[in-house]
Amino acid sequence: MTDSSHTSHENVPSRQRRRFAGISSRAYEHPADRSALVALRKLSGFDTVFKALSGLLPERSLRLLFLSDSVRVSDAQFVHLNDMLRDACYILDLEKVPPMYVTQDPKPNAMCIGLDEPIIVVTTGLVELLDEEEMRAVVGHEVGHALSGHAVYRTILLFLTNLALKVAWIPLGNVAIMAIVTALREWFRKSELSADRAGLLVGQDLQASMRGLMKIAGGNHLHEMNVDAFLAQADEYEKGGDLRDSVLKILNVLPRSHPFTTVRAAELKKWSESRDYQRIMDGHYPRRDEDKDTSVTDSFRESASHYADSVRTSKDPLMKLVGDIAGGAGDLGGKLRDKFTGGGSAGKGGATGGSEETRQSGPEDPES
C-alpha cells in the first residue's frame, strides 16, 4: 500500500492504491503478446538494430511535431493529467516518466510511440470525454505500453503502414510489406488487451475502466448505457450467426490495430475475475529482474495453450467447427454446410419434424 503520509503528487497516487514495486510487464501481458516480446528481448543485438533503424523512421519528426503543435503535460499545463501520469509510473514502478502531450483532435484516442524513449499522446476528444478515474485507466494503459516496450513496435507499424502506401505500385513489394503489417496488427491487438490490464492495475477501479470503454464506443451518454447490456453485446457478437458471419468478423478486424471495444470490455472483466489478477493484487507477480531468465519455449507453450483454450471454449461458429475438426467429429461436410447456411436444426427433429424423406433428398438437391 502507498504511504498516505506523503502529500506531494510528484510520485505518490492521489488516493491509496497498491503499488507494484519491480513488477515485470509479463505480469499483465496477454499470452500471445508476452511470447512475442520474450522472444524479441532474447534476440542478441535487437535493441542495436532498431536504434540503427531509428534514422529511417519518422520518430524525430513526430517528436518535433508534437513539441511544436501540441501541449506538453507538466506542472504548468494539464496539471491533473501530469499527476495521473506520475501516479501511473509510481504504481507500475516505471522509473523514467515519459513525456506526454495533448493534441487537438475531436476523435477520442491515445497512443504511446517512440524507439529510444516513448512518448504518450492523448487527444482533446479523449480528455473532454472521460472523467478523472476513467482517464486514469487510460493513462495507466499507455504507461503499460511503455513498460512493455510496445512503443517500439507501434512506431514500426506506423512506418510500415505508410511505406506500404508508398510502394503500392510494386505488386510483390506491397504484398510482402502488408504481410508483415497484418502480422504486426494481430500482435498489436493482443498488446492492447495487455495495456487494458495495466490500466486496471493503475486505476484499480474496474467500473471506471468499463465506463471508459463504453464512452469510447458510444460517447458521453452514460445515462443511456448499461455495463451488463454492453457486455451482453460482446457475448452476442462472439456466438452469433453462422460461418459467413465468422469470416466477416475476421475481415472486419484485419485492418484494425485495436480489438473491438465490446470485446476489450469482456476480456478485461474476465481477467479481473481471474486468479492471475488476484495474485498480482496480493503482491505475487513476476519481477523485472527475472526477465532475463524467462524461457522463450515456455512463453510460446503458454501462448499456444491459450489459443487452444480459446478455440475450445469459444462460442464463435468457426472456432466451434475448428474444435469439432480437432476432436475428430464425424459428418464434417454436413457440419460445414449447416454452419455456413445456419441450418441443421430442422433436420434434428425440431419444429418441422425432420422427416426421413427430407434427410434423404437433401444431398441430391443442387442448392445443397
Side-chain angles (χ1 to χ4, degrees):
M1 298 289 286
T2 58
D3 185 356
S4 58
S5 65
H6 287 86
T7 57
S8 171
H9 284 280
E10 183 170 319
N11 61 357
V12 178
S14 58
R15 71 167 171 84
Q16 284 196 334
R17 292 180 176 83
R18 290 176 177 82
R19 183 185 185 231
F20 308 105
I23 190 171
S24 167
S25 59
R26 291 180 292 115
Y28 58 80
E29 284 162 355
H30 184 280
D33 175 26
R34 186 188 311 131
S35 63
L37 291 173
V38 168
L40 288 171
R41 289 165 187 153
K42 289 286 185 178
L43 289 178
S44 178
F46 174 75
D47 290 339
T48 304
V49 170
F50 277 102
K51 285 181 181 179
L53 280 175
S54 64
L56 303 174
L57 300 177
E59 180 182 5
R60 296 180 69 87
S61 175
L62 287 173
R63 288 180 181 277
L64 290 171
L65 178 64
F66 290 120
L67 183 63
S68 63
D69 205 33
S70 300
V71 178
R72 183 161 58 191
V73 171
S74 66
D75 288 330
Q77 302 184 115
F78 288 101
V79 178
H80 72 293
L81 292 181
N82 195 44
D83 288 343
M84 288 183 197
L85 178 61
R86 288 175 172 175
D87 290 352
C89 292
Y90 174 78
I91 291 171
L92 293 181
D93 200 11
L94 183 64
E95 183 175 352
K96 188 169 184 179
V97 179
M100 183 174 177
Y101 293 90
V102 176
T103 189
Q104 173 62 32
D105 187 342
K107 184 177 181 179
N109 197 13
M111 62 180 176
C112 181
I113 57 174
L115 287 175
D116 290 326
E117 294 182 0
I119 62 173
I120 295 172
V121 181
V122 297
T123 66
T124 51
L126 189 69
V127 174
E128 293 162 5
L129 178 65
L130 303 182
D131 68 24
E132 181 177 350
E133 293 304 310
E134 295 157 7
M135 194 68 200
R136 189 181 300 276
V138 169
V139 173
H141 174 113
E142 299 305 327
V143 169
H145 276 314
L147 182 58
S148 287
H150 291 153
V152 173
Y153 317 113
R154 176 60 180 262
T155 306
I156 294 169
L157 177 59
L158 288 172
F159 170 71
L160 289 176
T161 302
N162 291 333
L163 181 61
L165 295 175
K166 293 178 181 177
V167 300
W169 59 277
I170 308 175
L172 292 180
N174 184 51
V175 168
I177 292 173
M178 286 311 298
I180 299 172
V181 168
T182 299
L184 276 173
R185 281 176 179 158
E186 165 59 17
W187 160 77
F188 200 80
R189 286 190 290 270
K190 296 301 186 289
S191 77
E192 286 300 314
L193 300 179
S194 300
D196 283 343
R197 296 174 178 183
L200 179 58
L201 290 177
V202 167
Q204 298 174 26
D205 184 344
L206 178 62
Q207 291 304 309
S209 294
M210 293 289 109
R211 292 197 311 268
L213 288 169
M214 284 197 301
K215 282 184 175 181
I216 290 172
N220 194 12
H221 306 283
L222 274 180
H223 63 288
E224 299 284 356
M225 293 186 278
N226 177 276
V227 172
D228 293 334
F230 189 67
L231 292 171
Q233 288 181 229
D235 187 61
E236 181 180 345
Y237 169 79
E238 181 185 7
K239 69 182 181 183
D242 52 35
L243 280 185
R244 291 168 296 186
D245 296 299
S246 297
V247 172
L248 289 173
K249 292 176 190 176
I250 294 171
L251 294 176
N252 284 340
V253 80
L254 277 179
R256 295 174 59 93
S257 61
H258 288 58
F260 293 116
T261 317
T262 58
V263 174
R264 289 173 62 184
E267 287 283 343
L268 185 60
K269 186 172 187 298
K270 180 180 178 182
W271 187 71
S272 73
E273 297 168 348
S274 70
R275 185 170 179 269
D276 289 341
Y277 173 72
Q278 191 55 57
R279 283 180 57 81
I280 295 173
M281 297 305 293
D282 290 339
H284 306 293
Y285 49 81
R287 306 283 168 158
R288 214 169 298 161
D289 55 13
E290 302 166 352
D291 284 349
K292 63 182 183 300
D293 302 319
T294 306
S295 166
V296 176
T297 302
D298 289 345
S299 297
F300 275 110
R301 187 179 295 118
E302 185 178 353
S303 177
S305 175
H306 168 80
Y307 276 114
D309 288 341
S310 297
V311 170
R312 185 167 55 252
T313 60
S314 176
K315 302 172 186 176
D316 179 81
L318 178 59
M319 292 299 101
K320 290 172 71 175
L321 180 64
V322 170
D324 286 346
I325 294 173
D331 188 24
L332 292 179
K335 284 180 176 290
L336 188 61
R337 181 190 65 239
D338 291 342
K339 293 285 187 180
F340 260 108
T341 61
S345 59
K348 295 180 180 179
T352 61
S355 68
E356 185 68 24
E357 179 183 355
T358 303
R359 288 195 294 271
Q360 288 179 350
S361 63
E364 297 175 4
D365 185 348
E367 291 298 322
S368 300

